Amino acid sequence: MSSFLLQRTPSMLYQNVISYKANIHIKTAKCFCNTTQKQDNTYVEILGIKYPTDTTTNVTPRILSKIGWNLHHNKRNPLFLLKERIKKHMYTSFKKSTGNPVFSIFDNLSPVVTLDQNFDSLLVPQSHVSRRVSDSYYINSSYMLRAHTSAHQRDLLQMGFDAFMVFGDVYRRDAIDKSHYPIFHQADGLRCFTQRQVFENVRDSTDLQLFENSKRTPEKQEKHSMDTAKLIEHDLKQTLLSLAYYLFGKDIKARWVEATFPFTHPSWELEIWYYNEWMEVLGCGIVEQAILDKAGACNKVGWAFGLGLERLAMKLYEIPDIRLFWSKDAGFLNQFNIQDYEIAIKYRVNLFDSFFHPKKMMNSHAYRITYRSMDKTLTQDEVNSLHSQIGQKAEQKLCVDIRDK
């Protein structure tokens, strides 16, 4: 028999939340794998579709077995928690005049794409390192596992979407260590603007134009006017700063670092000062006009960004090893079960004392729980309510007596 002493502490001292805690109960997790590979190696079957193999095929049975796990759909996984926070911000902060969200969300697109989708549609050069078989997973010479969620940009633009986000698993042939895994998850966003939308807040826009024939410079593309480039850059940076402040707190320091990507120009990386170091949050830039033109959006300009969910979740939730995202350990996953609690409130559990009573044959553990919100200062009533729910569930599921002080 065990007893637990739970102490509560409301806190907004810093923007961080949940630490890994060893398991008490381990439940058998459901297998999400619906991918198989025949022993004769003449084809691979992915999500119910058979693909013939050839000399380019390098996808392995181990990687194939992970397709369909969809960690970003698992409500007990921190990737789901982060995805939902990003969705909430984008839905509530950016709305049309009708009240509907500006951004459409796609989080269930197949990871199987063509080489044209993954590379050519994004102007990735033939000599780019990401095309090598040592860097990407090829199903055959025509199909591959997407290396980034940007592979869906052209298709969504052609379908008429001009503002969207794509969440999904991506595949790269990385060596495994605590910060690298050959499968991880990305969020990719794109927004397009017409001439009216770009200049609608300019007092006198009579002589302003989206496009011009000029030279490419570090500040703009050859087809874009300087006015267009500066206004789109401003909108992009304001949008992404608002997301960073929402996730990490309004008091963080941020900076923009010039970068180079095949599909945007100019390009930047957003970094924030976090835990006494500069940390990259995302990459972004103004979409190459050639990409929009080929997708049928030749009368629009736009920006795009991409971020890695694991990278941010590891910092936000103090997860020390990227492999933990694939864990089936209930002690880890139950920290991120948000079905019962408000999504913006998290907690830290620390064991600070223990005692064994030899006469009663009882173990007594004293835990301190620190509650934190990413959005506001918590009230005592909010903390008391959540604390009571946790105590009740501990009694029900762990068969313990609670002494609450």
Side-chain angles (χ1 to χ4, degrees), residues 123-249:
L123 308 181
V124 177
Q126 290 291 329
S127 59
H128 198 274
V129 63
S130 63
R131 289 182 180 259
R132 298 175 184 171
V133 293
S134 60
D135 281 73
S136 294
Y137 284 105
Y138 287 87
I139 300 170
N140 54 39
S141 57
S142 299
Y143 292 93
M144 64 182 296
L145 298 178
R146 63 188 170 207
H148 41 213
T149 47
S150 305
H152 303 284
Q153 281 186 5
R154 182 184 62 188
D155 296 337
L156 293 172
L157 286 167
Q158 289 177 336
M159 293 168 65
F161 294 98
D162 55 14
F164 53 81
M165 287 197 68
V166 179
F167 295 86
D169 44 339
V170 298
Y171 301 77
R172 298 180 189 175
R173 300 191 68 183
D174 290 337
I176 297 176
D177 57 33
K178 67 178 183 179
S179 58
H180 297 87
Y181 199 75
I183 309 168
F184 57 102
H185 297 74
Q186 281 189 340
D188 180 85
L190 183 147
R191 187 175 185 183
C192 291
F193 302 85
T194 62
Q195 177 162 313
R196 180 187 63 79
Q197 292 171 322
V198 171
F199 301 126
E200 63 182 350
N201 293 321
V202 178
R203 181 172 299 178
D204 184 6
S205 60
T206 304
D207 297 327
L208 300 181
Q209 297 293 325
L210 281 183
F211 305 110
E212 66 180 25
N213 293 316
S214 59
K215 293 183 178 181
R216 175 174 290 236
T217 70
E219 293 81 22
K220 69 177 207 67
Q221 298 175 34
E222 57 269 33
K223 289 188 175 182
H224 294 168
S225 67
M226 185 60 75
D227 296 312
T228 296
K230 291 303 179 183
L231 288 170
I232 294 299
E233 176 184 342
H234 176 77
D235 187 85
L236 165 66
K237 291 183 175 180
Q238 290 301 305
T239 300
L240 298 182
L241 280 174
S242 74
L243 176 60
Y245 293 148
Y246 176 74
L247 293 176
F248 292 93

Side-chain angles (χ1 to χ4, degrees), residues 64-331:
L64 289 170
S65 71
K66 299 291 187 181
I67 300 176
W69 278 51
N70 293 328
L71 300 184
H72 58 297
H73 291 324
N74 182 351
K75 293 184 177 181
R76 296 198 304 157
N77 195 290
L79 297 177
F80 174 85
L81 178 65
L82 179 57
K83 182 194 74 170
E84 291 301 306
R85 285 185 55 74
I86 294 173
K87 284 173 55 179
K88 177 183 176 182
H89 176 72
M90 302 305 283
Y91 273 153
T92 58
S93 300
F94 306 99
K95 294 186 177 182
K96 301 176 182 178
S97 58
T98 59
N100 295 324
V102 167
F103 290 89
S104 300
I105 305 294
F106 300 88
D107 62 2
N108 201 32
L109 299 177
S110 172
V112 177
V113 297
T114 65
L115 275 62
D116 180 60
Q117 288 173 301
N118 195 81
F119 298 125
D120 300 329
S121 73
L122 296 167
L123 308 181
V124 177
Q126 290 291 329
S127 59
H128 198 274
V129 63
S130 63
R131 289 182 180 259
R132 298 175 184 171
V133 293
S134 60
D135 281 73
S136 294
Y137 284 105
Y138 287 87
I139 300 170
N140 54 39
S141 57
S142 299
Y143 292 93
M144 64 182 296
L145 298 178
R146 63 188 170 207
H148 41 213
T149 47
S150 305
H152 303 284
Q153 281 186 5
R154 182 184 62 188
D155 296 337
L156 293 172
L157 286 167
Q158 289 177 336
M159 293 168 65
F161 294 98
D162 55 14
F164 53 81
M165 287 197 68
V166 179
F167 295 86
D169 44 339
V170 298
Y171 301 77
R172 298 180 189 175
R173 300 191 68 183
D174 290 337
I176 297 176
D177 57 33
K178 67 178 183 179
S179 58
H180 297 87
Y181 199 75
I183 309 168
F184 57 102
H185 297 74
Q186 281 189 340
D188 180 85
L190 183 147
R191 187 175 185 183
C192 291
F193 302 85
T194 62
Q195 177 162 313
R196 180 187 63 79
Q197 292 171 322
V198 171
F199 301 126
E200 63 182 350
N201 293 321
V202 178
R203 181 172 299 178
D204 184 6
S205 60
T206 304
D207 297 327
L208 300 181
Q209 297 293 325
L210 281 183
F211 305 110
E212 66 180 25
N213 293 316
S214 59
K215 293 183 178 181
R216 175 174 290 236
T217 70
E219 293 81 22
K220 69 177 207 67
Q221 298 175 34
E222 57 269 33
K223 289 188 175 182
H224 294 168
S225 67
M226 185 60 75
D227 296 312
T228 296
K230 291 303 179 183
L231 288 170
I232 294 299
E233 176 184 342
H234 176 77
D235 187 85
L236 165 66
K237 291 183 175 180
Q238 290 301 305
T239 300
L240 298 182
L241 280 174
S242 74
L243 176 60
Y245 293 148
Y246 176 74
L247 293 176
F248 292 93
K250 296 180 180 179
D251 296 328
I252 59 169
K253 293 190 295 183
R255 70 181 184 185
W256 296 97
V257 179
E258 292 184 1
T260 302
F261 305 115
F263 25 82
T264 56
H265 179 80
S267 305
W268 303 272
E269 291 175 346
L270 173 59
E271 296 183 348
I272 62 171
W273 185 253
Y274 198 68
Y275 277 77
N276 298 316
E277 65 178 356
W278 286 106
M279 180 187 80
E280 179 190 338
V281 176
L282 53 82
C284 64
I286 298 178
V287 179
E288 286 284 359
Q289 194 59 41
I291 293 177
L292 299 179
D293 291 348
K294 292 179 181 179
C298 53
N299 64 333
K300 298 177 181 179
V301 294
W303 52 250
F305 73 94
L307 57 85
L309 293 180
E310 279 87 347
R311 175 201 294 268
L312 301 190
M314 289 176 74
K315 293 293 186 180
L316 281 168
Y317 309 132
E318 292 185 331
I319 298 171
D321 196 309
I322 194 171
R323 288 164 287 196
L324 286 170
F325 291 103
W326 296 88
S327 173
K328 299 177 183 179
D329 174 38

